[in-house]
């Protein structure tokens, strides 16, 4: 039995992952709005959280899970795969690695592999789906690691946001990106490079931004027919659907799935944000 452990930055549901030989567990990060702490678990009230976040003049603070939360999950399953937020965006990767050292010291050797996703949100989600696909096909642990490492090297994550407030305040994007977005109806199209966020293009309005993004994906993904495209959104299903339909009209991917953002992605993508990864 494979135990797949992800942090709550991973926007993917159990229904897309779990099977006879694989289970999925989300390890929650914490999100603090002024004096109130929200735990990014399956039970968090995202409407309440977003209302508090939008009403606050202070930037939301997020914190990585403690190693002990990972440690407890490492006890489960025969082999353990772990996916974390990019190590350049969060300390979660370090917590997961510390927990691995703790486990070996206290419990002995066991197959535990920690993937630095080099991304976030649905980017982590499509990596989780790749692991699940390989596990269900009967691949062994070593083979899964090799194939998923290659998959991570070749994948891309893009996003179109209405607001960049928290990303700028926490230093995760350069202020010039937020400045571009402040112009009337300009939508920056952003992506990641080596685990960090950058602006790759911009357009007037969401529909034009979607068309540009689909062209960027088409030009930069030669093996699109072998890839699942994941889309995640913050209370913006119609926007996500518009992107899916545009992708379907121009590309022949293996599949295109839509998920709703969990708390951590909601913190940085804000209401109306859409993220796509493949």
């Amino acid at each position: 039995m494979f135990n797949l452990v992800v942090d709550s930055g991973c926007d993917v549901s159990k229904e897309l992952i779990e099977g006879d030989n694989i289970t999925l567990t989300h390890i929650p990060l914490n999100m603090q709005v002024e004096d109130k702490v929200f735990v990014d678990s399956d039970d968090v009230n995202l409407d309440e959280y977003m209302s508090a976040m939008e009403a606050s003049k202070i930037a939301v603070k997020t914190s990585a899970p403690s190693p002990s939360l990972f440690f407890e999950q490492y006890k489960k399953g025969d082999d353990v795969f772990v996916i974390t937020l990019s190590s350049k965006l969060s300390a979660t990767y370090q917590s997961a690695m510390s927990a691995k050292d703790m486990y070996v010291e206290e419990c002995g050797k066991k197959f535990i592999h920690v993937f630095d996703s080099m991304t976030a949100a649905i980017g982590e989600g499509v990596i989780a789906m790749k692991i699940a696909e390989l596990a269900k096909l009967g691949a062994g642990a070593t083979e899964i690691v090799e194939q998923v490492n290659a998959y991570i090297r070749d994948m891309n994550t893009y996003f179109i946001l209405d607001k960049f407030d928290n990303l700028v305040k926490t230093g995760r994007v350069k202020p010039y990106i937020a400045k571009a977005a402040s112009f009337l109806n300009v939508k920056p199209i952003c992506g990641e490079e080596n685990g960090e966020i950058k602006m790759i293009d911009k357009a007037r309005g969401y529909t034009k931004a979607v068309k540009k993004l689909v062209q960027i994906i088409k030009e930069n993904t030669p093996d699109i027919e072998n890839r699942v495209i994941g889309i995640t959104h913050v209370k913006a299903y119609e926007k996500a659907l518009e992107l899916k339909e545009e992708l379907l009209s121009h590309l022949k991917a293996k599949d295109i799935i839509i998920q709703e953002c969990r708390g951590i992605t909601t913190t940085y993508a804000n209401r109306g944000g859409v993220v796509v990864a493949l």
Side-chain angles (χ1 to χ4, degrees):
M1 172 67 73
F2 293 120
N3 181 18
L4 177 54
V5 180
V6 299
D7 59 44
S8 64
C10 179
D11 295 327
V12 72
S13 63
K14 289 180 181 291
E15 290 76 15
L16 289 173
I17 301 298
E18 295 195 329
D20 292 339
N21 65 336
I22 187 165
T23 60
L24 175 71
T25 302
H26 280 87
I27 303 292
L29 281 81
N30 292 329
M31 308 168 298
Q32 183 174 345
V33 183
E34 297 182 358
D35 295 330
K36 186 166 185 179
V37 175
F38 294 81
V39 179
D40 192 16
S41 66
D42 293 338
D43 300 325
V44 67
N45 186 325
L46 283 178
D47 289 324
E48 180 187 350
Y49 171 62
M50 279 193 292
S51 295
M53 181 174 70
E54 290 166 350
S56 176
K57 295 181 180 180
I58 302 171
V60 175
K61 297 178 182 179
T62 59
S63 56
S66 69
S68 62
L69 292 178
F70 285 100
F71 178 84
E72 289 304 314
Q73 291 302 318
Y74 292 175
K75 297 176 182 177
K76 303 174 183 179
D78 301 315
D79 299 308
V80 182
F81 296 106
V82 189
I83 307 170
T84 73
L85 286 156
S86 169
S87 60
K88 295 188 178 181
L89 298 174
S90 169
T92 306
Y93 176 77
Q94 285 76 18
S95 287
M97 290 298 292
S98 295
K100 180 179 177 180
D101 292 339
M102 288 166 54
Y103 184 91
V104 171
E105 183 177 340
E106 295 186 24
C107 304
K109 289 186 177 180
K110 179 178 183 177
F111 182 90
I112 302 171
H113 186 84
V114 182
F115 293 100
D116 179 350
S117 73
M118 298 298 289
T119 184
I122 195 62
E124 287 184 78
V126 294
I127 296 169
M129 291 172 66
K130 183 66 175 179
I131 292 172
E133 175 191 8
L134 292 169
K136 291 169 185 176
L137 289 172
T142 302
E143 182 183 355
I144 291 174
V145 169
E146 291 174 355
Q147 291 202 38
V148 172
N149 278 334
Y151 187 81
I152 291 172
R153 285 194 297 270
D154 292 339
M155 72 176 291
N156 288 297
T157 302
Y158 306 97
F159 53 92
I160 303 172
L161 309 183
D162 288 344
K163 295 181 179 180
F164 287 80
D165 302 18
N166 287 326
L167 283 169
V168 171
K169 288 175 182 175
T170 55
R172 287 176 170 86
V173 301
K174 303 296 184 185
Y176 78 88
I177 297 177
K179 188 175 181 180
S182 69
F183 289 109
L184 184 61
N185 208 25
V186 169
K187 298 292 183 187
I189 301 166
C190 296
E192 53 81 25
E193 185 175 79
N194 298 321
E196 297 182 304
I197 297 168
K198 65 172 186 175
M199 184 169 74
I200 53 179
D201 210 332
K202 58 183 181 292
R204 288 271 182 197
Y206 180 75
T207 296
K208 289 182 179 179
V210 163
K211 292 182 182 299
K212 276 194 175 184
L213 175 56
V214 171
Q215 187 61 34
I216 289 167
I217 290 172
K218 187 175 181 180
E219 291 172 357
N220 290 277
T221 319
D223 62 338
I224 189 71
E225 67 280 357
N226 298 318
R227 289 184 172 266
V228 172
I229 301 177
I231 302 171
T232 194
H233 65 93
V234 183
K235 303 297 181 182
Y237 179 74
E238 292 302 322
K239 285 184 175 181
L241 189 59
E242 180 180 347
L243 174 56
K244 179 177 180 176
E245 290 173 349
E246 187 71 15
L247 286 163
L248 285 170
S249 67
H250 292 280
L251 303 170
K252 293 183 179 180
K254 183 188 290 186
D255 194 10
I256 302 177
I257 60 100
I258 296 176
Q259 300 275 279
E260 191 162 359
C261 291
R262 295 175 66 93
I264 288 298
T265 307
T266 295
T267 302
Y268 297 108
N270 290 286
R271 192 184 299 271
V274 176
V275 185
V276 58
L278 66 159

